[in-house]
Amino acid sequence: EKAINLKKDLAEMQEWMTQAEEEYLEKDFEYKSPEELENAVEEMKRAKEDVLQKEVRVKILKDNIKMLAAKVPSSGQDLVTELNVVLENYQLLCNRIRGKCHTLEEVWSCWIELLQYLDLETTWLNSLEERVQMAENLPDKLDAVNDALESLESVLRHPADNRTQIRELGQTLIDGGILDDIISEKLEAFNARYEELSHLAVSRQIVLEQQLQTMRETDHMLQVLQENLTELDRQLTSYLTDRVDAFQMPQEAQ
């Protein structure tokens, strides 16, 4: 009777493993939305816990069959053979569910990381847009133009590492057919805004550089002119002080 019960337990265990495999490993998931992906991750976590909880039952079943085989070798040997098959299938099921759970957790982590990088770069783009707007309609003063140019250039020196991460993470998920529509839409919008603002910022930078160069040249010319006028004023004042008649001086002094 004990052998019959153990055989029944083995059959039930094998049936449970078959159902678990069908439910957790043979489903085709498309993950077209973050909610679907998150739900799949949570489901696989529960599946892993459920399978691992059966480990105690498997161990008890194993011990009981070995005890029976030791006492009654004739009836226990067949059970040992069936047990080995169940143990092998159970270990395989555990490994596959662990593997799928780990994969889904990695995919979810990849998605969250992508969102974080997009958020960082969007913040940078907002800052770039703000600096570009501040560089418009500036007062006609050298300091104001120079400050605006330095401010814009400091933002443009932003490293490209984050954009590289966005491209690689996005492509990895898209290649896996995961959230591909949503990610493609996000990347397309981000890249379009990046290209537009970058082009606008570089154009504004060139204008400011040209404006600054012109203002510096004009400022230099005014400085030279001021120095010449000061020298001329000094000479004329000297002539007047010495009561020199203008007609006695060179033509330029007259």
Side-chain angles (χ1 to χ4, degrees), residues 13-149:
M13 187 66 190
Q14 183 59 58
E15 183 181 356
W16 175 84
M17 288 190 294
T18 301
Q19 292 175 349
E21 185 172 353
E22 291 175 354
E23 183 175 358
Y24 299 129
L25 298 174
E26 295 182 1
K27 285 182 180 179
D28 290 328
F29 295 101
E30 292 188 350
Y31 314 124
K32 291 299 182 182
S33 72
E35 292 76 19
E36 288 180 1
L37 176 58
E38 187 175 19
N39 290 338
V41 172
E42 294 304 317
E43 182 178 359
M44 284 310 302
K45 285 181 180 178
R46 290 192 296 270
K48 185 172 72 171
E49 292 175 2
D50 189 21
V51 170
L52 293 178
Q53 283 176 358
K54 298 291 183 183
E55 189 173 4
V56 175
R57 182 182 175 188
V58 170
K59 187 178 184 306
I60 293 173
L61 192 57
K62 177 181 175 181
D63 292 342
N64 288 339
I65 289 176
K66 285 189 173 182
M67 287 175 59
L68 179 64
K71 292 179 180 179
V72 189
S74 58
S75 60
Q77 192 57 45
D78 290 340
L79 286 175
V80 169
T81 302
E82 290 184 36
L83 172 66
N84 290 335
V85 173
V86 169
L87 290 176
E88 183 178 348
N89 290 341
Y90 175 73
Q91 192 59 52
L92 179 61
L93 179 65
C94 288
N95 292 340
R96 290 181 66 191
I97 286 183
R98 279 198 196 99
K100 186 168 184 178
C101 186
H102 176 72
T103 299
L104 284 176
E105 287 176 329
E106 287 289 310
V107 169
W108 179 253
S109 176
C110 189
W111 163 249
I112 296 300
E113 194 174 1
L114 174 62
L115 292 181
Q116 290 171 343
Y117 278 116
L118 280 172
D119 185 58
L120 286 173
E121 286 304 281
T122 298
T123 300
W124 173 73
L125 285 177
N126 292 340
S127 178
L128 181 61
E129 185 174 27
E130 181 183 349
R131 300 296 173 88
V132 170
Q133 292 173 351
M134 289 172 60
E136 298 175 355
N137 303 318
L138 294 171
D140 195 20
K141 295 182 180 180
L142 191 145
D143 288 345
V145 175
N146 187 59
D147 290 346
L149 179 59

Side-chain angles (χ1 to χ4, degrees), residues 175-233:
D175 289 345
I178 299 165
L179 308 178
D180 45 355
D181 291 339
I182 292 176
I183 292 173
S184 295
E185 184 179 337
K186 283 182 176 292
L187 293 185
E188 184 177 349
F190 168 76
N191 290 329
R193 188 178 180 216
Y194 171 78
E195 292 298 330
E196 179 185 1
L197 280 176
S198 296
H199 178 73
L200 188 61
V202 171
S203 298
R204 177 57 55 186
Q205 181 186 20
I206 293 172
V207 169
L208 289 176
E209 288 173 343
Q210 293 173 342
Q211 186 178 357
L212 188 61
Q213 180 64 26
T214 301
M215 294 179 76
R216 282 173 175 166
E217 291 174 355
T218 302
D219 189 62
H220 178 69
M221 290 173 59
L222 289 173
Q223 185 178 353
V224 172
L225 179 59
Q226 182 63 47
E227 291 174 355
N228 291 337
L229 289 173
T230 300
E231 177 61 21
L232 179 59
D233 181 66

